Amino acid sequence: MNTTGIDAIAFYVPQLYVSMDNLAEARGIPAEKLKRGLGLQKMAVPNIGEDAATFAANALLNLITQNNINPKDIGRVYLGTESAVDGSKPTATYAVEIVEKELAKTFGERSFKNCDILDMTFACVGAVDALHNSLDWVKQDAKRKAVVIASDLSKYDINSTGEYTQGAGAVAVLVSHNPSILSINDTWGVASKSEGDFFKPRRTYKKAELLKSVLKELKIDASKETIDTFIKSTNSEFWSDSNEMVEVFKEEPVFDGQFSNACYEDRITEALEHFNNQKQTNFVNTWNQFVFHLPYAYHGRRIIFNNWLNWIKDSDAYNTLIEEVGKPEDTDAKTWQKSAYKSKLYSDFITQNIAAGELASSEIGNMYTASIFMSLLSYLSDSFNNSKDISGKTIGFIGYGSGSKSKVFEGTVQPNWASKLKDIKLFEYLETRTSITVDTYEKIHTSKLDKPVLDGSKIALNFVEKEDTNYGLRRYKVNK
């Protein structure tokens, strides 16, 4: 039977990380709260010169070289990201440009000349959107192949409640007919609702107000007359520009953690219901592995709990749960739910159906759009390393993007999946990264370093153009 899905997979994660022990000590937080409570062990940190374009380029290059793919066979490269490096020029164009130049000696110039290239953005679900769209495109012609890349940098304010969940990196997958790794079912559950749980607004400030605050700090006359005279007379490009507003973009989001959790649970519940309405599914018995978007490693196991309770309500498993923790009516609802969450029954469900997909997240942190794809790779890599035969297993995917939308779909592991995992070595790579101090991390975070902490990143930013006609255009390089 002709199916479509994921034929190959590759990744890139920055070489630097901060251990959760060190970050917790610096922030006065018990390390065990982060490690045992949230599943956090390490936090990936981008080197100087790394961004969503370099992550994507490294992952794309790895995908092509590790799987002997001819780039001329790729009809589209769709990138899911919420860490775009430009407000207009797609980050995917930068990534493809770098890889195209690197591959020129093997495949000739402009090997991606006839390739459709696009960014897709919807917070953390954008790359799932790219996959959904590309699958539909590939299905139309047996010769079509597409690459979907998920690439992101998760960055929060220092000392914020989101700081310790940060991460970075990219995952790239090849979408084709008769895939080697995973065939993806045509049924998709979707749920959308406009929410303000997490967003990155365009911030604006009046120049006069900025100048006034500076003058006050310096104890200099900050009257309107002084400010107007300065702005009109200065030759400074910044102050003399006719625009009275300063527009600022920050990678650090505005967010409400608890509200975002509620939105996540509401949307995935609605999307699961939508999926079930189209294809009646006993999720507990049918899905052998659950793969989630993971803001932190243990988020999936927490956010799916109430759904799990509803799924087992009319089964023998629920009777087993009652025998273990008692009836809900015998205590208050909060206490009973806490006992049920800690029950052996739910613990076994986590171990058997969720945990393998959390392992990489514990070592990397939140990868935004890439986290659900890394969860898949984590499960595949753990199964490969432990010689588990997962052929024919059904994987349920639960994606979420703030703002807000959820997409739910399922795939079946193919007989030849292991052949595509032997060169990936995910966990081996994660063990060889370089630990940096919290002080070094903070300097990277606040842009106080000009040079890379260490050499070794294959693809990195070279410089940013300063001339009027190409101001801000980014130039990348491949390190030999």
Side-chain angles (χ1 to χ4, degrees), residues 289-329:
Q289 178 70 23
F290 286 68
V291 166
F292 299 87
H293 160 57
L294 296 174
Y296 56 85
Y298 289 173
H299 193 270
R301 63 171 69 179
R302 290 185 172 188
I303 213 73
I304 203 65
F305 173 69
N306 286 328
N307 279 286
W308 174 82
L309 274 179
N310 288 329
W311 292 336
I312 68 167
K313 272 284 175 65
D314 298 320
S315 70
D316 291 338
Y318 191 71
N319 295 328
T320 302
L321 180 65
I322 297 300
E323 289 176 7
E324 182 180 352
V325 302
K327 296 179 180 180
E329 56 267 27

Side-chain angles (χ1 to χ4, degrees), residues 43-99:
M43 182 177 80
V45 178
N47 205 345
I48 301 299
E50 291 194 309
D51 55 30
T54 67
F55 303 155
N58 275 300
L60 176 60
L61 186 60
N62 288 340
L63 183 73
I64 289 171
T65 56
Q66 290 171 4
N67 295 279
N68 298 313
I69 299 169
N70 186 334
K72 296 177 182 179
D73 293 335
I74 300 170
R76 63 166 48 177
V77 175
Y78 276 20
L79 170 68
T81 186
E82 60 170 280
S83 309
V85 296
D86 188 274
S88 177
K89 180 175 167 59
T91 302
T93 60
Y94 282 116
V96 170
E97 177 188 23
I98 309 163
V99 174

Side-chain angles (χ1 to χ4, degrees), residues 227-408:
I227 292 170
D228 287 345
T229 300
F230 173 82
I231 292 178
K232 289 176 182 177
S233 62
T234 183
N235 292 320
S236 165
E237 180 183 353
F238 176 81
W239 293 108
S240 62
D241 183 272
S242 60
N243 194 335
E244 294 184 0
M245 305 298 292
V246 178
E247 296 178 282
V248 177
F249 175 78
K250 292 179 63 177
E251 282 290 352
E252 295 89 338
V254 175
F255 71 101
D256 182 334
Q258 293 304 314
F259 179 45
S260 191
N261 286 338
C263 292
Y264 189 138
E265 184 169 359
D266 288 346
R267 291 300 83 72
I268 69 170
T269 299
E270 293 169 350
L272 286 161
E273 289 172 352
H274 185 223
F275 183 97
N276 193 55
N277 289 338
Q278 299 169 78
K279 181 185 179 186
Q280 194 164 0
T281 304
N282 184 321
F283 295 107
V284 173
N285 293 333
T286 303
W287 286 2
N288 305 110
Q289 178 70 23
F290 286 68
V291 166
F292 299 87
H293 160 57
L294 296 174
Y296 56 85
Y298 289 173
H299 193 270
R301 63 171 69 179
R302 290 185 172 188
I303 213 73
I304 203 65
F305 173 69
N306 286 328
N307 279 286
W308 174 82
L309 274 179
N310 288 329
W311 292 336
I312 68 167
K313 272 284 175 65
D314 298 320
S315 70
D316 291 338
Y318 191 71
N319 295 328
T320 302
L321 180 65
I322 297 300
E323 289 176 7
E324 182 180 352
V325 302
K327 296 179 180 180
E329 56 267 27
D330 292 341
T331 184
D332 65 275
K334 190 173 182 179
T335 301
W336 187 84
Q337 280 219 331
K338 186 177 290 187
S339 297
Y341 181 82
K342 294 180 178 180
S343 68
K344 182 179 184 302
L345 188 68
Y346 192 61
S347 178
D348 289 345
F349 175 73
I350 292 170
T351 300
Q352 295 164 15
N353 301 88
I354 296 176
E358 301 170 334
L359 299 173
S361 180
S362 291
E363 295 291 311
I364 300 168
N366 190 359
M367 297 172 71
Y368 284 165
T369 58
S371 71
I372 190 169
F373 292 87
M374 181 54 76
S375 182
L376 168 63
L377 184 54
S378 178
Y379 169 63
L380 294 172
S381 296
D382 179 69
S383 299
F384 180 83
N385 289 350
N386 289 289
S387 301
K388 295 179 182 176
D389 182 12
I390 58 173
S391 299
K393 299 290 187 183
T394 299
I395 302 175
F397 292 84
I398 298 175
Y400 174 74
S402 291
S404 64
K405 180 169 69 178
S406 175
K407 283 192 171 180
V408 169

Side-chain angles (χ1 to χ4, degrees), residues 16-45 154 156 159-168 295-298 359-366 433-438 441:
L16 307 179
Y17 74 88
V18 173
S19 78
M20 210 48 58
D21 286 313
N22 292 343
L23 184 61
E25 182 180 4
R27 299 292 179 259
I29 302 170
E32 288 306 301
K33 178 181 177 181
L34 303 180
K35 293 166 73 174
R36 294 178 62 86
L38 303 180
L40 306 174
Q41 299 292 333
K42 298 172 184 174
M43 182 177 80
V45 178
S154 170
Y156 290 81
N159 285 311
S160 72
T161 56
E163 182 187 19
Y164 40 79
T165 69
Q166 295 173 127
Y296 56 85
Y298 289 173
L359 299 173
S361 180
S362 291
E363 295 291 311
I364 300 168
N366 190 359
R433 292 174 299 161
T434 299
S435 176
I436 58 174
T437 65
V438 173
Y441 144 70

Side-chain angles (χ1 to χ4, degrees), residues 98-115:
I98 309 163
V99 174
E100 187 174 55
K101 288 180 178 178
E102 177 66 9
L103 296 175
K105 56 183 176 289
T106 303
F107 297 100
E109 299 291 330
R110 302 284 309 282
S111 57
F112 284 94
K113 181 173 62 176
N114 302 121
C115 186

